Amino acid sequence: MCNKQGAEVLATEGVRGYDYKLMAEDFIGQAAQRPTKKQACFHAVLSFHPHEKPEDSRIVAIAREYLQEIGISNTQFAITKHTDKAHLHVHLIANMVNNDARSIKDNHIGLRGKKAAQKLTLKHGLIVAERKNLDLTHQEALDQSEANRYKIYTAIMESLPKCRNLEELEARLKTYGIAVLYKYKGQTQERQGISFRLEKDVFKGSKVDRNFSLGNLEKALSQGQRQKPTQATEASNPIPVSGHSVSKASNPAGQLAEELENLLLQSTGNLLSDLMKPEYVPQGVNPDLLREAHKKKKRKRLR
């Protein structure tokens, strides 16, 4: 984290930041007070948008707030800035054994970290990430399990637009070495959940991405199936204008006529009579037909 080109230690607490070897000794010394603590080192990366170049003081303030938000306090930490990528980012290292030799709780820390990042992004007016951007993901900071999760995410994103159902998605993911597992309701064949396995790692769909739960995947596949037929129907569905069939897609006047008809049908009688004046009715629209349609709709509402 510290011993690489472009790295700069911005702030530390309880460790010697001027020498990374001495810093490591300080972390190890405090962690040794809780020898049963399996994971005494917390590591996170906070990435800024490529267009953002905040000052060091602001970066440190945000990083300190982040640690407080996820419940890491009264302990050693170090904040190091990296500028070796197109986007500025900082690495946070914190000791999960605090200054009183007590363990800091790390349950659901990933979820807490995500919520903290979202909160601080809005608080400090930073650019919001609309979606995952794997180009900005620090693959070197991921362990093998997390790296596999990102591989699964990438494979699903690439495969989903080409699939019409879960069976096709399953077949495509198989080419990536990813197996699809289903959870069934009782002894039935009704699917209740979906998971993905890559090597020794298995992740629920929602843990890969919230859009990859069974329900959301089925919805996405269903919408993909309907999209093309719907577009084809709209393009070929003619609107009668002045006795001729005109396509919506190829004739903007047809769209205007339909919008006007809808407006007139929803209007009150007085407004209708005003809009029926010759100066308001576009050429090609039959006022008598509009009046008759409006009367029918009005009678239907009265019933």
Side-chain angles (χ1 to χ4, degrees):
M1 188 181 78
C2 301
N3 188 29
K4 67 179 298 185
Q5 187 175 1
E8 180 182 357
V9 179
L10 298 183
T12 60
E13 183 72 39
V15 293
R16 291 167 284 184
Y18 56 85
D19 186 304
Y20 71 92
K21 292 182 179 180
L22 297 177
M23 184 194 298
E25 288 181 7
D26 294 336
F27 276 118
I28 293 169
Q30 183 155 306
Q33 298 179 71
R34 275 285 189 186
T36 57
K37 180 74 172 176
K38 292 183 178 180
Q39 294 183 343
C41 178
F42 170 82
H43 177 213
V45 180
L46 302 183
S47 296
F48 295 86
H49 192 276
H51 295 163
E52 291 176 324
K53 305 294 181 185
E55 296 180 354
D56 290 350
S57 59
R58 190 180 181 204
I59 294 172
V60 171
I62 292 171
R64 285 178 178 271
E65 285 186 66
Y66 177 84
L67 292 174
Q68 289 289 332
E69 285 288 336
I70 61 176
I72 297 179
S73 61
N74 186 34
T75 193
Q76 301 167 319
F77 66 79
I79 303 169
T80 304
K81 178 175 73 172
H82 283 188
T83 55
D84 57 321
K85 303 285 185 181
H87 53 288
L88 183 152
H89 59 280
V90 294
H91 289 258
L92 306 183
I93 293 289
N95 205 325
M96 298 303 282
V97 175
N98 70 15
N99 299 332
D100 299 323
R102 295 181 178 178
S103 294
I104 297 174
K105 294 181 179 180
D106 57 5
N107 55 309
H108 307 297
I109 200 164
L111 180 60
R112 282 188 276 147
K114 182 177 181 180
K115 290 182 177 179
Q118 292 170 340
K119 178 180 178 179
L120 294 174
T121 296
L122 297 177
K123 178 181 177 180
H124 291 273
L126 303 172
I127 297 174
V128 178
E130 300 294 339
R131 59 182 177 82
K132 284 187 177 70
N133 189 335
L134 298 186
D135 293 334
L136 303 185
T137 300
H138 298 274
Q139 302 289 346
E140 72 278 3
L142 302 177
D143 59 26
Q144 186 58 47
S145 180
E146 280 295 293
N148 282 342
R149 188 165 68 92
Y150 270 88
K151 288 177 183 178
I152 293 172
Y153 173 84
T154 304
I156 295 175
M157 288 295 291
E158 291 177 353
S159 302
L160 199 56
K162 305 169 187 176
C163 301
R164 294 171 296 178
N165 51 53
L166 286 170
E167 285 68 30
E168 290 187 5
L169 178 62
E170 188 175 344
R172 284 187 176 274
L173 292 179
K174 191 175 182 180
T175 63
Y176 292 89
I178 299 169
V180 178
L181 311 173
Y182 297 104
K183 179 183 177 182
Y184 295 94
K185 183 177 181 180
Q187 301 300 317
T188 70
Q189 292 300 307
E190 181 183 347
R191 293 168 176 168
Q192 279 190 320
I194 190 169
S195 298
F196 303 93
R197 183 178 64 211
L198 178 59
E199 297 173 353
K200 295 180 179 180
D201 296 307
V202 178
F203 303 94
K204 290 182 179 179
S206 58
K207 294 298 182 182
V208 177
D209 189 273
R210 63 183 179 182
N211 292 319
F212 295 162
S213 66
L214 179 62
N216 286 335
L217 281 174
E218 289 177 331
K219 187 185 298 183
L221 290 166
S222 177
Q223 289 173 347
Q225 275 187 303
R226 291 199 303 267
Q227 187 175 7
K228 290 184 179 180
T230 301
Q231 291 173 345
T233 302
E234 287 182 353
S236 61
N237 184 22
I239 304 173
V241 179
S242 188
H244 298 284
S245 293
V246 183
S247 168
K248 289 186 198 178
S250 61
N251 193 311
Q255 289 179 307
L256 176 62
E258 184 183 39
E259 290 171 6
L260 180 62
E261 287 178 325
N262 291 333
L263 173 63
L264 294 177
L265 291 173
Q266 296 169 4
S267 304
T268 63
N270 291 336
L271 179 58
L272 177 66
S273 60
D274 289 339
L275 290 175
M276 283 304 171
K277 293 177 181 179
E279 61 265 31
Y280 290 107
V281 179
Q283 185 178 2
V285 178
N286 189 329
D288 293 330
L289 291 176
L290 293 178
R291 289 192 185 93
E292 183 62 25
H294 178 75
K295 288 177 182 178
K296 288 181 179 179
K297 188 165 187 177
K298 186 175 181 181
R299 286 197 295 269
K300 186 175 181 181
R301 287 201 302 268
L302 290 174
R303 291 195 198 103

